Amino acid sequence: MKRLRIVLILGLVTAVSCAATSQPLPNPAQQPPPLSAPTQELPKSYIPGLGEFMGRIQTDHAKLWLAGQARNWELAGYQLSELKEVFSDVQDLVPRYQNVPVGDMIDALMTGTIADMEGAIATRDFSKFSTSFDELTAACNSCHQAANRPYIAIRRPTRSNFSNQDFLPAKK
Ligand code: HEC
């Protein structure tokens, strides 16, 4: 929920700074309004769009594969928990997107698949991992098809795009 917290904090900061700039000048003849009276609607806080969350999900999906391929099971577990966290932020913040019930579709398509992947990572068996990874990827694409985005086709990464990150397990 780290990201959700950042969004909420940004919202608060915006609310406070808007309140500070849009207050009318005080008129000494008038009593200040009671503190509890809401004088204006709070401005909307910035919520990233679904496409932005998906960009982050794409990165987690690629890194999950690269970690599993390198048999770095700690990193694979970490990437999967990040992926889960972003899907849960999507459910909280963009439960519907352009008439697509994204929140319910995540429950239907991703929740079970992610649990299977957790099981596969726990076995530290690459063949189980790769089967689960392909199922996860198929679930991404089912949602894209159901959401009229069949042209967004996800697949296994063929190489690392992250030349500044070593995916091999840390030497102990
Ligand atoms: C619940 C439905 C749903 C699931 C599950 C889902 N997506 Fe998406 N995804 C969408 C929708 C809808 C869009 C289009 C968003 C838009 O129009 O801004 C999208 C867009 C994308 C994009 C394009 C974003 C961009 O800016 O290039 C990528 C990449 C992507 N998804 C990756 C994934 C991956 C990887 C997974 C699985 C781990 C996944 N998605 C699972 C619904 C889903």
Side-chain angles (χ1 to χ4, degrees):
M1 286 289 88
K2 174 169 29 116
R3 245 165 256 112
L4 176 58
R5 220 174 303 136
I6 292 172
V7 171
L8 292 176
I9 289 168
L10 279 177
L12 276 178
V13 169
T14 319
V16 168
S17 59
C18 290
T21 49
S22 62
Q23 288 289 320
L25 286 175
N27 178 345
Q30 279 176 354
Q31 287 294 314
L35 279 175
S36 59
T39 48
Q40 61 184 57
E41 237 179 80
L42 286 178
K44 278 195 185 144
S45 55
Y46 173 72
I47 293 180
L50 184 58
E52 291 170 82
F53 283 115
M54 285 292 155
R56 178 59 214 249
I57 286 171
Q58 178 177 27
T59 300
D60 291 329
H61 174 268
K63 290 189 174 185
L64 174 63
W65 174 258
L66 297 167
Q69 200 180 34
R71 301 341 185 234
N72 188 344
W73 303 116
E74 275 82 23
L75 182 60
Y78 168 81
Q79 288 306 156
L80 185 63
S81 70
E82 290 289 300
L83 189 84
K84 246 169 102 169
E85 198 175 297
V86 184
F87 275 121
S88 140
D89 283 354
V90 170
Q91 289 186 305
D92 290 343
L93 298 171
V94 224
R96 281 193 82 80
Y97 180 77
Q98 295 179 355
N99 283 329
V100 179
V102 190
D104 292 342
M105 285 164 89
I106 291 172
D107 278 335
L109 289 166
M110 302 307 298
T111 309
T113 325
I114 288 176
D116 290 349
M117 176 55 104
E118 279 169 344
I121 291 175
T123 66
R124 302 183 159 229
D125 177 331
F126 179 70
S127 131
K128 290 204 174 85
F129 170 84
S130 50
T131 306
S132 275
F133 188 85
D134 290 341
E135 280 164 15
L136 180 78
T137 307
C140 307
N141 290 328
S142 315
C143 195
H144 294 158
Q145 279 153 19
N148 295 320
R149 305 278 192 293
Y151 46 82
I152 302 176
I154 305 302
R155 60 176 187 183
R156 283 187 192 180
T158 52
R159 62 178 177 82
S160 171
N161 283 350
F162 311 98
S163 61
N164 61 349
Q165 184 170 358
D166 185 357
F167 288 89
L168 290 172
K171 294 195 183 62
K172 287 183 180 140

